[in-house]
Amino acid sequence: MKLFLDQFYVLMRRFRIIVHALAYNIFNWFKRMALPVKMRKQQIDTIRLKLLKIAAKALHSARYITFKLCSSCPYKNEFYETLEKHPQVTAAAGMTSNREP
């Protein structure tokens, strides 16, 4: 039984390494393809803070999804730059970015 558990834990560790490598490669692809040039050298935590941890209100209409960010959002420009970098993706998804002056 102990041999079986040892093999199971070895297999579990190998699977975890594969999942971590896959996540690393997907994030590197995202950095190269989706981010503006000035954000590509930033670390994962910084990009996560600037793009994923943003409180936004998503307004749904018949054709579009509009993101409304608060006026005091410190990373508003980076968020909209990332959306505007790929107009074909935002147009295909029907997403617009309403930038307030």
Side-chain angles (χ1 to χ4, degrees), residues 74-86:
Y75 307 118
K76 181 188 265 188
N77 291 334
E78 287 89 353
F79 183 78
Y80 285 133
E81 284 177 14
T82 304
L83 279 182
E84 290 171 355
K85 186 175 186 306
H86 298 286

Side-chain angles (χ1 to χ4, degrees), residues 23-100:
Y24 177 79
N25 288 329
I26 288 172
F27 192 78
N28 276 336
W29 173 82
F30 173 74
K31 281 172 64 171
R32 282 187 280 127
M33 303 301 282
L35 292 180
V37 176
K38 67 179 183 179
M39 289 184 69
R40 289 184 187 163
K41 298 247 181 207
Q42 294 178 351
Q43 293 182 353
I44 292 173
D45 291 335
T46 306
I47 293 171
R48 198 177 101 218
L49 175 72
K50 289 184 176 183
L51 297 179
L52 300 178
K53 288 186 169 182
I54 291 182
K57 185 177 185 180
L59 301 174
H60 300 272
S61 67
R63 294 185 183 188
Y64 300 105
I65 300 172
T66 306
F67 291 102
K68 298 273 187 171
L69 301 176
C70 68
S71 60
S72 63
C73 180
Y75 307 118
K76 181 188 265 188
N77 291 334
E78 287 89 353
F79 183 78
Y80 285 133
E81 284 177 14
T82 304
L83 279 182
E84 290 171 355
K85 186 175 186 306
H86 298 286
Q88 70 275 12
V89 173
T90 56
M95 294 170 32
T96 61
S97 59
N98 287 343
R99 202 182 275 210
E100 296 175 11

Side-chain angles (χ1 to χ4, degrees), residues 8-20:
F8 175 74
Y9 287 125
V10 168
L11 184 65
M12 195 168 63
R13 278 187 236 123
R14 286 182 186 170
F15 182 71
R16 177 180 278 171
I17 290 171
I18 290 170
V19 169
H20 284 279

